[in-house]
């Protein structure tokens, strides 16, 4: 039979649900489908584009079966180390178009350091990100002032920032506009409103709030599988507990500054080409910091990531 192309929607062990057009196929993998240079426990992940051959058979619950023959090169992927300190990693999702970092000024407090760590990780994974400041309806004038400070802080670096309230509907049109036709993920602390926002913009999804809660998923990584859902307005959302708290990836200290766009932009003017931007004379980053062209909070986040040892970076769960 002819090969077809599809996207992996769900993976449960050795079976993959693949969506092709409007149809779903339950597929397994033919032979060894190994990706060069990457030791992973799962050869395929949610978001992967694959070629598969439909079989003339059906699963117990009537789904047409297929065999995956090829994997299209991933434009990006999010990984997690399978076991602490193991060299093998688990791919949580692939081909993400946009990551939404949901943050709240209060209820709960999201620290800027958290936002920065997430942004750095997304930069390192080559995933475009949008900062969503939610629960605007809850904020008093002081908190509202923080919202506009955050907005300007990230906007001047070039990040897309939107302010939302799942309660009043503020900013939801803007959110939908950014998600439409894309593969999206939502990340952020527990309680910031990720599942509420998703349910509000697409009531058909009915993602259960407790299902999305980090608390309930803690320590269950091995038994929970990623899953992708179609959005009724077009596009997808990937849901997995790991994705909502994804940690730092392998990152050498020399590379950290590459993932702070505003630091990277001026670092080329430092006197020493291997400048760490911490104490060196003629450091353009420190100069920019003194002129307030780089924000103190961002610079502090940079230092805090530099000062972590390798394993801490892995353990870091936001
Ligand atoms: P998640 O852990 O990020 O998925 O957060 P939830 O979606 O479970 O939301 C946590 C709590 O915040 C729930 O009680 C929601 O009803 C509430 N919530 C979420 N978004 C908003 C909002 O914009 N305004 C207000 N007032 N409450 C919100
Ligand atoms: Zn420097």
């Amino acid at each position: 039979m002819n090969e077809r192309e599809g996207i992996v929607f769900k993976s449960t062990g050795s079976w993959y649900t693949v969506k092709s057009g409007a149809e779903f196929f339950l597929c397994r993998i033919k032979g060894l489908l190994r990706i060069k240079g990457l030791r992973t426990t799962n050869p395929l992940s949610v978001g992967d584009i694959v070629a598969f051959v439909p079989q003339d058979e059906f699963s117990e619950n009537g789904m047409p079966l297929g065999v995956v023959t090829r994997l299209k090169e991933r434009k990006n992927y999010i990984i997690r180390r399978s076991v602490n300190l193991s060299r093998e990693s688990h791919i949580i999702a692939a081909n993400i178009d946009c990551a939404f970092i949901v943050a709240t000024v209060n209820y709960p407090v999201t620290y800027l350091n958290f936002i920065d760590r997430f942004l750095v990780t997304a930069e390192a994974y080559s995933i475009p990100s949008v900062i969503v400041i939610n629960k605007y309806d809850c904020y008093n004038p002081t908190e509202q002032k923080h919202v506009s400070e955050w907005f300007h802080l990230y906007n001047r670096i070039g990040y897309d920032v939107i302010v939302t309230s799942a309660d009043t509907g503020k900013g939801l049109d803007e959110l939908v506009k950014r998600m439409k036709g894309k593969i999206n993920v939502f990340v952020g602390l527990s309680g910031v409103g990720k599942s509420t926002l998703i349910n509000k913009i697409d009531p058909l999804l009915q993602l259960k709030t407790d299902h999305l809660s980090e608390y309930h998923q803690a320590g269950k990584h091995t038994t929970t599988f990623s899953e992708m859902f179609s959005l009724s307005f077009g596009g997808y959302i990937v849901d997995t507990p790991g994705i909502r708290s994804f940690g730092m990836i392998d990152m050498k200290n020399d590379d950290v500054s590459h993932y702070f766009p505003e630091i990277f932009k001026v670092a080329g003017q430092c006197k020493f080409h291997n400048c760490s931007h911490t104490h060196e004379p003629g450091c353009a980053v420190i100069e920019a910091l003194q002129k307030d062209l780089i924000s103190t909070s961002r610079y502090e986040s940079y230092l805090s990531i530099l000062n972590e040892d390798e394993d801490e970076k892995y353990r870091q769960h936001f």
Side-chain angles (χ1 to χ4, degrees):
M1 249 203 248
N2 287 337
E3 251 185 10
R4 291 178 63 153
E5 194 177 90
I7 181 163
V8 177
F9 246 58
K10 192 176 171 180
S11 76
T12 43
S14 48
W15 290 95
Y16 301 90
T17 305
V18 176
K19 188 186 183 213
S20 177
E23 291 173 277
F24 286 92
F25 292 81
L26 192 60
C27 296
R28 57 203 164 73
I29 296 174
K30 184 184 170 185
L32 279 176
L33 201 76
R34 286 278 164 212
I35 321 303
K36 273 186 233 119
L38 189 67
R39 281 173 58 188
T40 60
T41 47
N42 55 335
L44 285 185
S45 96
V46 163
D48 271 331
I49 311 278
V50 294
F52 69 99
V53 180
Q55 309 291 289
D56 239 349
E57 293 168 70
F58 294 85
S59 73
E60 270 176 22
N61 48 8
M63 232 159 109
L65 298 179
V67 175
V68 172
T69 46
R70 275 181 300 124
L71 167 67
K72 195 168 167 180
E73 198 181 332
R74 298 173 172 127
K75 73 173 182 187
N76 60 40
Y77 50 84
I78 297 173
I79 53 171
R80 186 200 311 126
R81 273 199 195 184
S82 314
V83 193
N84 258 359
L85 307 181
S86 133
R87 284 279 149 218
E88 269 198 334
S89 41
H90 181 88
I91 306 177
I92 304 175
N95 301 319
I96 305 290
D97 292 309
C98 192
F100 293 84
I101 163 75
V102 185
T104 42
V105 165
N106 211 342
Y107 326 108
V109 174
T110 304
Y111 292 101
L112 293 178
N113 188 267
F114 172 93
I115 298 178
D116 292 335
R117 278 163 185 280
F118 171 78
L119 289 172
V120 162
T121 309
E123 294 280 352
Y125 280 125
S126 307
I127 300 173
S129 41
V130 173
I131 299 166
V132 179
I133 309 174
N134 190 37
K135 301 204 183 184
Y136 194 75
D137 61 285
C138 298
Y139 300 146
N140 65 29
T142 312
E143 288 159 345
Q144 287 179 7
K145 204 168 143 264
H146 284 307
V147 172
S148 75
E149 282 163 10
W150 286 15
F151 184 93
H152 293 295
L153 166 64
Y154 289 104
N155 213 240
R156 79 164 175 171
I157 301 166
Y159 285 111
D160 191 9
V161 187
I162 56 179
V163 180
T164 61
S165 162
D167 229 46
T168 66
K170 178 185 169 65
L172 299 190
D173 287 351
E174 289 178 75
L175 188 58
V176 167
K177 214 176 350 173
R178 284 160 178 81
M179 295 174 73
K180 216 171 184 157
K182 294 183 185 161
I183 300 179
N184 306 289
V185 298
F186 274 53
V187 301
L189 296 177
S190 182
V192 294
K194 297 178 292 295
S195 34
T196 310
L197 283 169
I198 295 166
N199 286 336
K200 191 85 183 209
I201 57 173
D202 192 352
L204 291 177
L205 265 184
Q206 302 273 335
L207 291 181
K208 287 198 201 81
T209 306
D210 63 341
H211 168 64
L212 280 178
S213 166
E214 293 289 331
Y215 291 128
H216 297 271
Q217 304 293 350
K220 287 191 194 164
H221 287 324
T222 47
T223 52
T224 32
F225 296 98
S226 312
E227 193 162 357
M228 193 148 84
F229 298 93
S230 292
L231 295 161
S232 56
F233 51 83
Y236 307 99
I237 184 138
V238 173
D239 181 41
T240 147
I243 228 169
R244 272 173 280 115
S245 60
F246 63 72
M248 284 293 176
I249 51 171
D250 265 305
M251 203 183 292
K252 295 195 197 77
N253 268 354
D254 290 351
D255 292 339
V256 177
S257 66
H258 298 193
Y259 306 126
F260 283 82
E262 76 279 41
I263 292 181
F264 186 64
K265 211 164 73 187
V266 299
Q269 289 146 35
C270 294
K271 186 172 168 195
F272 301 107
H273 90 102
N274 60 348
C275 186
S276 69
H277 323 302
T278 53
H279 62 278
E280 293 88 344
C283 173
V285 173
I286 294 173
E287 198 179 306
L289 180 73
Q290 283 159 353
K291 288 185 191 156
D292 202 28
L293 298 171
I294 289 174
S295 314
T296 312
S297 68
R298 292 278 293 170
Y299 184 68
E300 281 170 0
S301 295
Y302 168 74
L303 293 182
S304 84
I305 295 170
L306 271 196
N307 290 332
E308 269 173 358
D309 67 42
E310 284 281 297
D311 290 329
E312 247 178 308
K313 287 193 179 85
Y314 283 106
R315 278 199 299 274
Q316 189 72 46
H317 273 258
F318 305 143

